[in-house]
Amino acid sequence: MEEKLSSIAKTLKPSPIQQLSFLAERCNAVNLAEGFPDFPAPPLIKAAAVSAITSDFNQYRHVQGICDLLVDKMKQMHGLDVDPLTDIAICCGQTEAFAATMFAIINPGDEVILFDPSFETYATCISMAGGVPVYVALDPPYWTLDKVKLLDAFTAKTKALVLNSPHNPTGKVFNMGELEIIAECCRTKDCIAITDEVYEHIIYDNEPHISLASLPGMQNRTVITSSLSKTYSVTGWRVGWAIGPSCIASAIRNIHTKVTDSAPAPFQEAALTALRSPPEYYRSLRMEYESKRDFVFKLLCRMGFQVEFKPLGSFFIFATIPETCKLTDVEFVEQLIKEAGVVAVPGCGFFHTKHDYDNRYIRFAFCKDDATLTSAALKMRQLVDASGRLRFL
Ligand SMILES: Cc1ncc(COP(=O)(O)O)c(C=O)c1O
């Protein structure tokens, strides 16, 4: 029967991360792997969802009010003028918004530039749409963008570039200089930019979140994708959006309608409450995550991890395995599960090109309750011997 599978389906294999998840479950490990919160979502937003269900918002639905609120948000955050009737598609999370964008713009053989390391789902969506991912390596330890490498990646087939900032897995926030380089390349090479801004409100050290779309000449060639998932701790609600030039937004809406029809109606209703959250909500979200980041950062440094780059955004720390440790990232995580009862993600799944460092990173997610982080810290400290070195070096 396997021969009946499509060629793209045959390329999709369970990742080593999934196997580690099974091991972690068997060992009842504290989970610092999964990129979603283990603490409750804000009560007001949950109440809005419950009320939407009891008020019978339970059928296919497009909630235009979300678009109106996104228009205000784009104006306030980025100074962008967006038409709520033509420029927005509400989708099932950023994931569907991104996939639908690929189906909206990619023809077979079109190339799409991605930065390496990157979030895993982009490449699959690009391939499913018939496109070809082309990688530009960011340079460790600060994951710096090299303009020459970026320019080299463009060919006559380049259709689009994907920018995820704040960045999963590194926590990098692309600075204005880097955004200007990317914008210049997009303009001169007539390239569409797709931004993934799901961590737009999870950003530290007073770093601003700048959307690539706000740079000169970029709004008319950028599709912004984002969602409720991370900002409001509701990754299971599946409400996201794409905001872009009207013809692309319209194509995305058509694709979305054919594939899923609508995002979940009660959660779209609750999105109205979420998107009206006061500035204080976003301020305390940042502060809480910043203190979690500092806690895990200190823990990892004390354990001998090399964490040259302290994340400026998102809720991940991408730490280098201590130099003296000869284990690969996958072996290291196996040991972490077995010996400490803590699970994290081996970095290899985020690298798509060969580097001598691509099995040296571990991603720790700190979007967890303080009790979870404290319990992980207690367990991980047991791995350190009296001289302060990791026991399984
Ligand atoms: C960079 C990035 N983009 C998108 C997503 C998924 O977003 P959504 O839940 O809106 O589909 C994630 C989830 O981990 C992510 O890390």
Side-chain angles (χ1 to χ4, degrees):
M1 204 56 178
E2 206 158 307
E3 73 282 359
K4 303 277 188 212
L5 292 175
S6 67
S7 24
I8 182 74
K10 283 181 193 155
T11 66
L12 302 177
K13 297 270 179 293
S15 71
I17 299 172
Q18 275 168 300
Q19 281 147 27
L20 287 170
S21 292
F22 294 137
L23 179 63
E25 236 175 83
R26 279 208 309 278
C27 299
N28 202 16
V30 176
N31 201 323
L32 301 189
E34 290 161 338
F36 53 83
D38 69 347
F39 47 81
L44 206 63
I45 299 174
K46 287 193 291 194
V50 171
S51 156
I53 292 174
T54 50
S55 307
D56 260 322
F57 288 108
N58 295 314
Q59 313 306 328
Y60 305 126
R61 190 162 172 77
H62 166 79
V63 177
Q64 183 58 30
I66 296 179
C67 301
D68 299 335
L69 290 166
L70 288 174
V71 167
D72 297 344
K73 178 182 162 85
M74 288 300 112
K75 187 71 183 172
Q76 272 168 25
M77 283 184 78
H78 307 301
L80 296 174
D81 290 311
V82 172
D83 186 327
L85 296 176
T86 58
D87 302 350
I88 301 177
I90 301 170
C91 296
C92 298
Q94 185 278 341
T95 305
E96 194 211 1
F98 183 84
T101 307
M102 288 301 112
F103 284 109
I105 62 170
I106 296 302
N107 285 316
D110 283 348
E111 292 178 356
V112 181
I113 295 178
L114 296 172
F115 295 111
D116 202 35
S118 68
F119 181 51
E120 314 91 303
T121 61
Y122 306 138
T124 310
C125 291
I126 293 165
S127 303
M128 285 197 293
V132 180
V134 173
Y135 291 97
V136 173
L138 298 170
D139 296 329
Y142 302 109
W143 309 106
T144 319
L145 171 64
D146 179 334
K147 183 177 180 180
V148 176
K149 282 189 197 163
L150 178 57
L151 276 170
D152 277 355
F154 282 88
T155 73
K157 293 184 186 161
T158 306
K159 183 72 158 285
L161 170 149
V162 178
L163 175 67
N164 168 217
S165 180
H167 185 246
N168 175 7
T170 65
K172 175 185 172 69
V173 172
F174 284 71
N175 62 36
M176 190 47 127
E178 291 170 319
L179 294 178
E180 276 167 353
I181 291 173
I182 296 168
E184 187 194 331
C185 289
C186 289
R187 285 188 305 256
T188 55
K189 306 285 184 184
D190 191 20
C191 172
I192 299 170
I194 298 102
T195 64
D196 175 351
E197 306 188 23
V198 292
Y199 299 106
E200 60 198 316
H201 292 287
I202 303 175
I203 191 159
Y204 312 116
D205 304 333
N206 299 318
E207 194 72 19
H209 169 63
I210 306 167
S211 177
L212 184 65
S214 67
L215 272 72
M218 286 306 291
Q219 187 178 359
N220 64 359
R221 58 172 67 253
T222 302
V223 179
I224 297 174
T225 62
S226 191
S227 72
L228 297 185
S229 291
K230 314 288 176 167
T231 306
Y232 307 100
S233 307
V234 288
T235 57
W237 282 15
R238 315 313 298 135
V239 178
W241 49 85
I243 304 174
S246 57
C247 70
I248 301 182
S250 158
I252 296 170
R253 282 195 300 274
N254 290 339
I255 291 162
H256 161 71
T257 311
K258 300 286 179 292
V259 176
T260 58
D261 203 292
S262 76
F267 300 130
Q268 284 192 70
E269 288 297 327
L272 298 174
T273 303
L275 289 166
R276 285 194 196 104
S277 299
E280 176 50 30
Y281 173 79
Y282 302 100
R283 209 175 66 82
S284 76
L285 182 79
R286 282 176 192 221
M287 281 170 51
E288 277 166 32
Y289 270 129
E290 194 161 314
S291 103
K292 291 179 196 297
R293 174 200 63 167
D294 292 346
F295 179 84
V296 177
F297 183 78
K298 270 191 212 133
L299 168 74
L300 295 176
C301 291
R302 263 192 251 121
M303 292 184 65
F305 283 90
Q306 294 156 257
V307 215
E308 291 103 327
F309 180 67
K310 193 174 186 178
L312 291 171
S314 82
F315 41 52
F316 305 107
I317 295 186
F318 208 42
T320 318
I321 299 171
E323 218 168 305
T324 43
C325 175
K326 297 299 167 225
L327 300 180
T328 66
D329 55 347
V330 174
E331 291 163 346
F332 190 97
V333 170
E334 258 168 35
Q335 290 299 315
L336 198 62
I337 296 169
K338 287 182 190 154
E339 304 234 356
V342 173
V343 59
V345 178
C348 58
F350 300 101
F351 290 106
H352 304 83
T353 49
K354 205 76 208 108
H355 309 284
D356 54 4
Y357 52 79
D358 59 18
N359 61 6
R360 302 298 302 158
Y361 284 88
I362 311 284
R363 191 196 73 175
F364 292 89
F366 55 84
C367 46
K368 307 294 167 187
D369 196 78
D370 287 347
T372 310
L373 296 179
T374 307
S375 150
L378 285 173
K379 285 168 173 266
M380 284 171 69
R381 280 191 199 118
Q382 290 167 15
L383 292 179
V384 181
D385 67 19
S387 66
R389 286 163 60 89
L390 276 176
R391 278 201 269 118
F392 53 81
L393 282 185

